[in-house]
Amino acid sequence: MSESSLQWDPNGRLARLFRTIIAARWWVVLIYACLLPPAAFLSMRVGQDNSIDRLIVPTDPDYIATKQFEQVFGGGEFAVLLIEADDPLAQPVVATLDRIERGLASVKGIEVNSALSMFRRGKGGFEPSVEQVDAFRAFARGTTLLKEQGLVLDHFLGVALILDVAAPEQRQAALQQIDAAIAAARQPGDGVIGVHPLGLPYVNAYLDESQRSTPRYFISFVVFVIFLNLALYRSWRTLVAFLVTLGVCLALSVGYIGLTGGTFTLVSPMVPMTILVTATATLVYLHSRYAERLPQFDAPTHHVFALVNKFVACTASVFATGIGFAALAISPIRPVHEMGIWVAVGLLLTWVTIITLFPALQSILKAPMHLADPLRQKADNEGLAAMLPRWSYRWRWPLVGTAIGLSVCGVVAIFGFPGVIAPMRLLTDPIEYLRHDSQLYLDIERFTPVIPGTSISQVWIQGGVGSMAEPDVLVGLHAFQQALEHEPGVGSAVGPTTVLRMMRYLGGEGDAWPTDPDTLEGMAATLEELVPREPTLQRFVQRHGLGQAQITVITRAIDHEAFAALTERITALWQRTTMEHPALSGLKVQSVGLAPLHAKMAQGLVPTLVESFLLTAFLIFGTFLVVFRNGTARLMAMIPSIFAILVMFLIMRLVGMSLNIATILIASTVLGTSENDQIHFFYHFLERRRTAGVEESLRYTLRVAGRAILYATLINAGGFMAFVFADLPAVRQFGVLSALAFTLSMIADFTALPAALWILWREKPDSIA
């Protein structure tokens, strides 16, 4: 059956629609010209926030509790400066620390806590004279409290910083002021080997800054599109139609994000890239059909025919991709949830643009088409289109068996095998998102063993008005804090009794906790008197009412399991301490903090992977129910994508990669995007299958859609490979692995898929039958 005998209704609704669009082409362009400026303006309003905090779900009960806690004790991001020196208590080193703290004293939104700041407040001031430095040295060496908090160590002085920031710009400004204070404080011969900034604010700032190079991803993609377009069609007019359409698709999609007040995050560059990749692949499918004019049609008729012939397949592929990404909206992880909605809406806008603006531009620019070459069709029939169906028939069982075997290995790679292979590791430590050769990463790796820990959580203690100023309650809190400090994995625990002990030590009474009832009464009275005016105490005791307190716990916990175990131990220790100190029995404790929340949200990525992938598969299968009436096609159309995804996870496991916020999205991304190829494959296969056998249908499919599938794969793989230029390892891995999965899907399109069709339809090639 030749293409000339294809049935289509030149007077059908679709044909009339496209004739109307082509006839009104200048009006169509004018409408988009009016839409483009506001869309571009809204696009410019989209902000950028790549901090790990963006992973947190605002409706999560633990998040709500943490925010309520911060309303009482204040919030902020915690950072640490480690001042390294051979003798950290030498006079020049202490003088440098003094200059740093003086430089930060006037900076709004930065709270400083160090051994020197405690000494300064306790003594009513400090000047780096020889006498006062000697007094400070004696103070620093006379207690273990400072070492336990990581403020005075063998070769380091620690400076704890609390940054009261609410936006990336504020964080960046605060860190710049810290850097400026450090630079201004340093002097030649000051004895300081280095000042090393650590902590989540620096990690967030690094992530934020590294993702601001996102435009280069899209510049590289545009260059790729230009070369691909010229190689395929050798026409500048066609190239202009492509670039204008892609530009409008991108502007409208990102403009929607700006209209809804969206903010780009760590995974957001994947949103516009997915829009561009899907749009480009769809344009290639449309234009490839347009460019080769069938001999029985004149140019205007063929233009309409090409649009009608590819409309169902292109519409189904775009909508399959869109609803596939929409499935991500079930995720409680905010960036993932937003990504799903943004891509789905963006693809809807893209679909409208492609079926209206692109045909208009093809007509206005007179994009060239050439008459179908019978000699080339004959070569196709005698070449790959003839060879591949018979080859796949001959090797059908090994091809299908290999695909199934590799897929099973992929399932084991990601989910493990009980008692033999553990599930694939989930990356939860924020520093692992940094480049491993960056100075910040190297410093964190080097100094983490030196300090008490890098993760901070809080034990929130709630009672009645004035309960925290009761002597018996203070005794119980001290006992509880001491039990926490002796818990394995806890580097330090700092609470109101720590501050009271430090005040006693500064007053020359030693740092031991008193047991004398009169002294305890005096400490309780002092606490009640000082809390309203002492900022340090307000970080640990409720300013108004004294009915709440908190203990800051510094640990090396990273993942959700470790924080969950810590919470269990805190509960057990509190119950035990309450039995020994009945005054605590009326108080309530709760573990809060951003660090456990980050770990909890990272753990939530696993159900995101499984649930959204299953929902994506279900929705795409539902699309196939509408597009394909053949039951076999509905199932077979998903095989290449699922095979590619599972083999990709197998490769990840073999090379030692871990799941993270980016790579965990590959399954839904690849399944949603690569289904375009299978839809076009099966659309044309079933188009011919109505009147021909499997062999002829495969030949026809390869001749009509084979090149387009190859080109679409190049677009998908090449587009996501642009992420290889990313600074963040997770984003680079996403790009490389996605490109690999698209390539594997295409290989399955031309091997395992035809082989499975032979098996399921139980036919033989014509010459063998």
Side-chain angles (χ1 to χ4, degrees), residues 248-470:
V248 172
C249 291
L250 184 63
L252 293 178
S253 300
V254 180
Y256 166 77
I257 299 174
L259 181 66
T260 57
T263 299
F264 278 160
T265 63
L266 195 64
V267 298
S268 294
M270 302 165 197
V271 174
M273 185 60 73
T274 301
I275 300 294
L276 287 175
V277 165
T278 305
T280 305
T282 305
L283 292 177
V284 167
Y285 279 118
L286 276 175
H287 196 76
S288 294
R289 195 61 164 155
Y290 162 93
E292 189 171 346
R293 180 168 67 86
L294 298 180
Q296 68 269 32
F297 299 140
D298 57 22
T301 303
H302 176 75
H303 191 182
V304 175
F305 164 78
L307 293 168
V308 172
N309 184 254
K310 300 301 293 185
F311 176 80
V312 173
C314 287
T315 298
S317 63
V318 171
F319 273 79
T321 304
I323 62 176
F325 276 94
L328 294 175
I330 68 169
S331 172
I333 310 300
R334 181 165 36 170
V336 178
H337 172 87
E338 292 173 341
M339 178 183 177
I341 295 175
W342 292 345
V343 173
V345 174
L347 287 177
L348 176 61
L349 297 172
T350 295
W351 174 77
V352 173
T353 304
I354 286 175
I355 67 170
T356 55
L357 179 61
F358 187 62
L361 291 173
Q362 283 178 313
S363 180
I364 290 172
L365 295 169
K366 294 181 171 58
M369 61 175 70
H370 60 271
L371 192 63
D373 186 358
L375 294 178
R376 199 188 78 179
Q377 289 189 9
K378 181 180 179 181
D380 286 343
N381 287 331
E382 295 175 352
L384 182 65
M387 180 274 294
L388 192 59
R390 298 191 174 211
W391 177 85
S392 63
Y393 172 79
R394 179 181 179 183
W395 299 101
R396 60 193 183 281
W397 291 109
L399 288 172
V400 172
T402 301
I404 293 174
L406 290 175
S407 299
V408 171
C409 291
V411 172
V412 174
I414 187 170
F415 296 111
F417 192 85
V420 180
I421 301 175
M424 188 177 289
R425 178 173 170 262
L426 177 65
L427 190 67
T428 58
D429 190 352
I431 72 166
E432 292 300 328
Y433 291 96
L434 310 180
R435 283 185 55 170
H436 288 193
D437 59 350
S438 66
Q439 190 59 51
L440 178 59
Y441 180 87
L442 295 175
D443 281 349
I444 292 174
E445 285 290 288
R446 176 189 171 193
F447 299 117
T448 294
V450 174
I451 58 181
T454 55
S455 297
I456 296 176
S457 57
Q458 286 88 17
V459 180
W460 186 8
I461 305 163
Q462 303 171 66
V465 175
S467 58
M468 299 305 153
E470 295 292 333

Side-chain angles (χ1 to χ4, degrees), residues 613-632:
F613 178 77
L614 292 176
L615 183 56
T616 298
F618 175 78
L619 292 174
I620 291 176
F621 181 73
T623 303
F624 291 166
L625 289 176
V626 176
V627 178
F628 303 132
R629 302 302 179 186
N630 186 287
T632 303

Side-chain angles (χ1 to χ4, degrees), residues 214-227:
T214 296
R216 67 187 179 191
Y217 307 153
F218 305 108
I219 293 172
S220 64
F221 181 76
V222 169
V223 173
F224 171 75
V225 169
I226 291 173
F227 278 103

Side-chain angles (χ1 to χ4, degrees), residues 173-225:
L175 296 182
Q176 288 174 353
Q177 290 173 313
I178 293 171
D179 291 341
I182 294 172
R186 295 296 306 276
Q187 293 181 359
D190 61 5
V192 176
I193 298 174
V195 179
H196 309 284
L198 308 172
L200 191 59
Y202 287 94
V203 173
N204 286 335
Y206 179 95
L207 296 175
D208 188 60
E209 189 62 29
S210 62
Q211 285 292 74
R212 295 188 185 278
S213 59
T214 296
R216 67 187 179 191
Y217 307 153
F218 305 108
I219 293 172
S220 64
F221 181 76
V222 169
V223 173
F224 171 75
V225 169

